[in-house]
Amino acid sequence: MPVPQCPGSRFPVTKEVYSDAEKTALRALVLTPEYAAVQNEASYYVMDFVMAKTGEQTPESHVWLLLQATWQVRSDMAAYARYAAELAPAMDAASDQLKSEDPENWYFYQLSTANVLRQSGDFDGAAQRLAVVEAEPSDQPMINKWIELSRAMIVARDSRSEEIPRED
């Protein structure tokens, strides 16, 4: 889904209503050199930045927004590689919390991160991420299929985009 953004500043809308104090703080944020440096990035990347600055970011939202940002820049390999390099440590930071709260999401995020690393050409990083997932066996056929596909593509050093397998 597209992120609603201000046409001028590209500020992403993260909620429906802002208090007057929030509006003042956000106007000040938009005027910072930090915001200027990211405002033309992918909208999900900008949203992640804003949520970090406003205290709305969680470890899971950080991973999820970075992952979505990679999807937005698939045709720009330089941006894709930069986002991939940020995604891996974000996933490491969120891993324990995700695993304890929702193990299925943990697999999804780990495998998605491995896939992004592979597609960015970081086959060693992708293989290391896949090893983390394989150390936690799953009884879910879809996850096991995804692991097999990922392993084969990493071994082949194949960075092509590949659709995530689904259960029908």
Side-chain angles (χ1 to χ4, degrees):
M1 271 178 61
V3 174
Q5 290 179 282
C6 170
S9 68
R10 296 201 67 229
F11 185 84
V13 178
T14 59
K15 57 187 185 179
E16 286 187 36
V17 178
Y18 294 93
S19 70
D20 289 341
E22 288 172 320
K23 289 176 190 175
T24 299
L26 295 174
R27 283 187 194 104
L29 174 61
V30 167
L31 298 175
T32 65
E34 282 181 299
Y35 184 81
V38 301
Q39 79 179 48
N40 292 317
E41 297 284 348
S43 60
Y44 281 99
Y45 190 88
V46 179
M47 181 177 272
D48 184 54
F49 171 85
V50 168
M51 289 179 71
K53 293 297 182 183
T54 60
E56 296 174 80
Q57 186 185 71
T58 66
E60 184 176 5
S61 73
H62 184 43
V63 171
W64 179 234
L65 292 171
L66 285 174
L67 181 59
Q68 290 178 93
T70 66
W71 299 338
Q72 288 182 300
V73 297
R74 282 183 203 254
S75 62
D76 179 349
M77 285 313 293
Y80 193 89
R82 278 189 300 110
Y83 295 178
E86 289 184 43
L87 177 60
M91 184 59 228
D92 291 340
S95 183
D96 289 343
Q97 179 183 345
L98 286 170
K99 187 189 252 182
S100 69
E101 290 177 0
D102 190 341
E104 281 190 44
N105 267 352
W106 178 84
Y107 283 109
F108 169 79
Y109 284 126
Q110 289 285 9
L111 289 166
S112 294
T113 301
N115 193 48
V116 167
L117 292 170
R118 178 191 59 77
Q119 288 180 167
S120 74
D122 181 359
F123 298 106
D124 291 338
Q128 290 170 0
R129 182 74 45 187
L130 191 60
V132 168
V133 176
E134 290 177 310
E136 299 287 335
S138 171
D139 60 356
Q140 298 291 321
M142 183 187 78
I143 290 172
N144 293 322
K145 182 178 178 182
W146 193 355
I147 289 169
E148 288 175 33
L149 176 63
S150 296
R151 185 183 316 107
M153 293 184 82
I154 291 166
V155 167
R157 301 186 80 70
D158 183 345
S159 62
R160 289 177 299 150
S161 180
E162 185 65 34
E163 187 172 320
I164 298 168
R166 301 175 218 196
E167 287 182 299
D168 291 326

